[in-house]
């Protein structure tokens, strides 16, 4: 084995013929042709009626629709996340009644399609004409002991509280709560049980441990699917025409389409609006995910980064 | 400081503690050794009520752990009262259990600020002191995953010390460490015992530490205390044959 003991001359760099990828070139050609056909269709097919679409997709009522859609998305997600956290904590509670209640809620609202739920909430006015606050079963109790008992102190007409907007918000938020509950539960369960033990050993209460130690770590697991849920929610606001919520984006665009017999351009306009709004949400999701990966992966703390930058700046002189 | 009378604990049908009797005096360092599954870690966790005992009585600093006695009836303590008791007992875990989303400094400050309600400025000053005590003042802004195992465990000790406990419990504090990092953690513990005179109960496999720092050595096996006494005596001339068998394997 004389060769191994020879003083190591630096090995020359390799100049080999690289592997060819003919498949890639075929794919490029096929995709280029398909793309050209698609663009050609967009430009030449009169059904698109681009000028009509551009003229109509920024009308004041459409912009109001965009606003309603965004407000609805934000509100239903905020309420949904709060319901989700409460349900997830209930679900993990040692109290069997509380955890079963959470399970039943999730079971019910996950089982019912959103559009059915929205139709249902849109027709809640059928159930009661008035909604009143007071002692539960007061008239029944009154009858039982033989007096005319009425404890209702606040009454509202169904049409004033179950407006289209409220009914739609209720439907979306309640059903979102069920999905968020599962996401939050998975997040909480992903946190090492040792974290809870360490917090208990320091004398932290269960609520404090949840708020300061467990949830911040669970967020790393919770945020990405919640971003997806938000994007899905934005799109599901189009289902609000089942309630109906008349000042919502899709309802408005469709309305213009059917009034003017230009259905197709307005559907394309809807696609573009949802594309634009979803893209904005995706940027937001990126920053949120970065925020909650604090302490995981190779990221440095703010102070460490500042220190490094200072050192780099000092080294340059 | 700690008094245990006939403490029993079962998980389902398996009894892991079968009547533990011992006393830890203030400023005493007690080391508990024994094969895995002997119940030593479980007993340690019973002391701050992370595990509920099924029988016997356990006192820390004169107060019953987990219960209140009125006449001859026992009442379970509320979560809040249990938490209040735990504040006086520091615990260090085998797997460190630092809070990964907080820096070393924030880990140490968390409980004094949130549990004791100390001001942030005071807590920060105290945290700087405790981190210095464990030799990590230069790492105070690092997240746990940027620290070595030994450094993490030292931060965990600082975190427990920040609550100014009367008693420190160590659950195999060096078992998850690379061999070359064990020394730095033992050093901190040694200083804690010798310089501050902290009362400590240490579940460990470090016989050298037990011999040098420990005031008492307890050998547990099968959920009972087999032998207890002066560490040098137990380690050099164990009386019981189970102790002899165990020590012949680890020494």
């Amino acid at each position: 084995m004389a060769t191994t003991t020879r003083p190591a001359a630096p090995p020359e760099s390799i100049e080999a013929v690289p592997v060819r990828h003919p498949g890639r070139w075929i794919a490029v050609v096929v995709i280029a042709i398909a793309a050209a056909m698609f663009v050609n269709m967009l430009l030449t097919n009169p059904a698109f009626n681009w000028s009509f679409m551009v003229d109509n997709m920024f009308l004041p009522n459409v912009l109001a629709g965009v606003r309603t859609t965004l407000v609805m998305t934000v509100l239903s997600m905020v309420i949904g996340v709060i319901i989700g956290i409460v349900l997830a904590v209930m679900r993990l509670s040692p109290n069997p009644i509380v955890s079963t209640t959470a399970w039943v809620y999730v079971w019910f609202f996950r089982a019912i399609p959103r559009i059915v739920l929205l139709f249902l909430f849109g027709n809640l006015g059928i159930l009661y004409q008035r909604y009143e606050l007071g002692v539960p079963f007061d008239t029944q109790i009154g009858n039982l002991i033989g007096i005319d008992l009425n404890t209702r102190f606040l009454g509202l007409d169904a049409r004033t509280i179950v407006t289209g907007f409220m009914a739609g918000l209720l439907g979306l938020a309640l059903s979102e709560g069920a999905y968020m509950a599962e996401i939050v539960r998975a997040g909480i369960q992903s946190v090492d049980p040792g974290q809870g033990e360490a917090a208990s050993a320091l004398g932290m209460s269960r609520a404090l441990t949840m708020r300061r130690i467990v949830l911040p770590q669970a967020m790393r697991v919770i945020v990405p699917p919640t971003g997806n849920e938000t994007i899905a929610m934005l799109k599901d606001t189009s289902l609000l025409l089942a309630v109906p919520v008349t000042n919502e984006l899709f309802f408005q665009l469709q309305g213009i389409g059917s009034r003017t017999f230009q259905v197709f351009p307005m559907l394309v306009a809807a696609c573009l609006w949802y594309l634009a709004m979803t893209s904005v949400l995706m940027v937001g999701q990126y920053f949120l995910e970065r925020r909650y990966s604090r302490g995981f992966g190779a990221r440095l703390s703010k102070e460490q980064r500042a220190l490094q930058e200072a050192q780099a700046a000092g080294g340059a002189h | 400081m700690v008094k245990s009378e006939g403490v029993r604990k079962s998980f389902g049908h398996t009894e892991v503690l079968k009547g533990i009797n011992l006393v830890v005096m203030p400023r005493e360092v007690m080391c508990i050794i024994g094969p895995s599954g002997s119940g030593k870690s479980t007993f340690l966790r019973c002391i701050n009520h992370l595990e509920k005992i099924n029988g016997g009585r356990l006192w820390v600093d004169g107060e019953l752990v987990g219960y209140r006695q009125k006449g001859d009836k026992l009442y379970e303590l509320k979560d809040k009262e249990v938490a209040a008791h735990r504040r006086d007992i520091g615990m260090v875990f085998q797997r460190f259990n630092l809070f990964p989303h907080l820096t070393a400094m924030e880990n140490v400050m968390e409980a004094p600020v949130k549990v004791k309600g100390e001001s942030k400025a005071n807590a920060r000053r105290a945290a700087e002191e405790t981190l210095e005590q464990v030799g990590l003042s230069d790492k105070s802004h690092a997240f746990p995953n940027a620290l070595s195992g030994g450094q993490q465990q030292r931060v965990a000790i600082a975190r427990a010390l920040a609550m100014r406990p009367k008693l420190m419990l160590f659950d195999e504090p060096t078992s998850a460490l690379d061999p070359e990092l064990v020394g730095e953690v033992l050093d901190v513990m040694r200083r804690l015992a010798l310089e501050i005179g902290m009362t400590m109960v240490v579940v460990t496999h470090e016989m050298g530490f037990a011999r040098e720092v420990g005031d008492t050595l307890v050998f547990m096996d099968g959920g009972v205390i087999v032998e207890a006494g002066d560490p040098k005596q137990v380690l050099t001339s164990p009386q019981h044959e189970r102790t002899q068998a165990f020590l012949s394997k680890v020494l």
Side-chain angles (χ1 to χ4, degrees):
Chain A
M1 286 296 179
T3 49
T4 55
T5 56
R6 220 170 40 196
E12 55 192 89
S13 48
I14 295 171
E15 279 169 35
V17 179
V19 175
R20 305 291 179 200
H21 299 284
R24 289 185 190 171
W25 290 105
I26 296 170
V28 166
V29 172
V30 170
I31 290 167
I33 293 173
M37 285 169 72
F38 184 68
V39 171
N40 182 48
M41 174 191 73
L42 290 182
L43 296 178
T44 58
N45 194 319
F48 281 102
N49 202 349
W50 292 106
S51 60
F52 176 84
M53 188 198 86
V54 172
D55 287 343
N56 285 274
M57 73 182 287
F58 299 106
L59 289 179
N61 59 335
V62 176
L63 292 180
V66 170
R67 220 194 63 182
T68 309
T69 291
L70 288 176
V71 168
M72 195 62 118
T73 307
V74 170
L75 283 182
S76 52
M77 278 313 291
V78 168
I79 300 173
V81 167
I82 293 170
I83 296 177
I85 292 174
V86 171
L87 283 175
V89 173
M90 283 171 68
R91 186 72 199 280
L92 297 170
S93 155
N95 180 337
I97 296 161
V98 169
S99 75
T100 310
T101 308
W103 183 86
V104 169
Y105 180 100
V106 173
W107 167 75
F108 180 83
F109 280 99
R110 283 212 305 183
I112 308 213
R114 261 187 198 164
I115 193 158
V116 176
L117 208 59
L118 289 174
F119 270 116
L120 189 79
F121 278 95
N123 291 291
L124 268 190
I126 296 170
L127 212 51
Y128 293 108
Q129 267 89 51
R130 284 178 65 76
Y131 287 86
E132 294 173 323
L133 287 178
V135 177
F137 298 110
D138 53 352
T139 46
Q140 284 91 328
I141 295 169
N143 288 340
L144 216 61
I145 55 180
I147 52 166
D148 190 16
L149 188 64
N150 189 342
T151 60
R152 319 281 165 99
F153 56 89
L154 181 68
L156 286 167
D157 198 290
R159 274 163 299 175
T160 51
I161 50 168
V162 193
T163 55
F165 187 87
M166 282 303 286
L169 180 60
L170 211 59
L172 290 179
L174 290 181
S175 97
E176 186 57 40
Y179 291 98
M180 283 309 304
E182 292 297 278
I183 291 173
V184 174
R185 184 169 66 105
I188 290 175
Q189 285 178 331
S190 76
V191 177
D192 174 14
Q195 293 288 309
E197 272 182 9
S200 312
L202 286 167
M204 293 171 79
S205 69
R206 201 178 301 186
L208 190 63
T209 305
M210 186 53 77
R211 196 161 53 79
R212 294 285 305 175
I213 306 301
V214 176
L215 279 180
Q217 293 180 59
M219 287 306 270
R220 204 170 52 95
V221 173
I222 294 171
V223 167
T226 305
N228 288 344
E229 287 293 312
T230 309
I231 289 167
M233 178 57 79
L234 182 93
K235 296 183 292 180
D236 279 359
T237 54
S238 60
L239 298 176
L240 288 171
L241 52 80
V243 174
V245 178
T246 50
N247 56 354
E248 167 271 329
L249 175 67
F250 189 53
F251 195 97
Q252 289 297 330
L253 288 172
Q254 230 200 3
I256 298 172
S258 39
R259 267 201 310 280
T260 57
F261 302 107
Q262 293 283 355
V263 175
F264 199 74
M266 287 296 98
L267 291 177
V268 175
C271 290
L272 292 178
W273 268 118
Y274 285 115
L275 256 176
M277 290 190 289
T278 306
S279 307
V280 171
L281 286 184
M282 285 167 75
V283 174
Q285 187 182 7
Y286 167 78
F287 283 106
L288 258 185
E289 280 179 28
R290 216 176 55 166
R291 165 76 181 76
Y292 281 107
S293 63
R294 193 171 117 101
F296 293 90
R299 279 191 62 242
L300 301 170
S301 72
K302 223 186 285 170
E303 291 85 356
Q304 280 179 313
R305 234 188 350 260
L307 192 72
Q308 261 189 3
E309 276 161 22
Q311 279 167 351
H317 289 298
Chain B
M1 183 63 81
V2 180
K3 188 169 156 207
S4 170
E5 270 183 19
V7 165
R8 286 185 294 108
K9 168 74 190 171
S10 317
F11 292 109
H13 292 295
T14 40
E15 196 170 44
V16 286
L17 296 179
K18 301 170 183 165
I20 301 291
N21 295 300
L22 57 76
V23 175
V24 183
M25 301 305 288
R27 305 176 72 86
E28 179 177 342
V29 176
M30 175 182 283
C31 294
I32 305 179
I33 60 170
S36 65
S38 59
K40 54 196 192 312
S41 283
T42 306
F43 176 66
L44 199 70
R45 292 160 58 83
C46 288
I47 296 178
N48 69 352
H49 208 50
L50 281 178
E51 304 288 355
K52 220 184 230 177
I53 59 176
N54 303 119
R57 295 278 194 282
L58 193 53
W59 290 268
V60 171
D61 205 19
E63 285 188 82
L64 210 51
V65 174
Y67 301 93
R68 186 187 310 107
Q69 190 159 16
K70 259 190 203 160
D72 48 353
K73 244 186 157 176
L74 279 185
Y75 297 86
E76 255 183 64
L77 292 184
K78 290 183 202 144
D79 287 352
K80 219 182 194 172
E81 299 166 302
V82 173
H85 277 188
R86 284 185 183 138
R87 274 170 224 176
D88 296 334
I89 307 173
M91 181 148 187
V92 174
F93 298 85
Q94 182 178 356
R95 303 226 40 97
F96 329 137
N97 294 350
L98 286 180
F99 306 134
H101 60 303
L102 302 176
T103 62
M105 173 71 85
E106 289 167 334
N107 262 282
V108 178
M109 284 169 62
E110 181 69 18
V113 173
K114 293 292 166 183
V115 178
K116 276 190 172 169
E118 281 180 28
S119 76
K120 276 204 170 169
N122 278 345
R124 185 178 301 275
R125 218 170 307 130
E128 273 163 9
E129 260 170 50
T130 13
L131 280 173
E132 174 141 26
Q133 223 178 324
V134 298
L136 284 174
S137 28
D138 54 329
K139 296 287 184 189
S140 58
H141 295 304
F143 283 109
N145 75 343
L147 299 174
S148 74
Q151 291 169 333
Q152 286 190 49
Q153 192 61 297
R154 286 188 281 153
V155 174
I157 294 174
R159 178 175 69 176
L161 286 178
M163 292 297 277
R164 312 207 176 283
K166 299 174 190 154
L167 166 70
M168 286 280 282
L169 308 175
F170 292 84
D171 187 3
E172 303 198 22
T174 56
S175 299
L177 295 176
D178 290 339
E180 79 271 22
L181 302 176
V182 168
E184 58 187 73
V185 172
L186 291 181
D187 264 353
V188 168
M189 291 168 60
R190 183 177 299 122
R191 281 214 310 276
L192 214 55
L194 301 179
E195 291 171 18
I196 306 174
M198 178 65 75
T199 313
M200 293 164 47
V201 181
V202 186
V203 170
T204 188
H205 294 297
E206 296 295 327
M207 302 303 161
F209 178 83
R211 184 199 308 261
E212 186 198 342
V213 184
D215 298 307
T216 344
L217 184 66
V218 171
F219 173 69
M220 274 179 75
D221 192 14
V224 293
I225 293 177
V226 177
E227 197 166 338
D230 180 70
K232 293 172 193 80
Q233 220 149 42
V234 175
L235 287 173
T236 46
S237 54
Q239 299 302 305
H240 203 284
E241 68 184 271
R242 273 197 282 175
T243 321
Q244 288 163 3
F246 176 74
L247 288 177
S248 70
K249 275 181 222 154
V250 296
L251 286 181

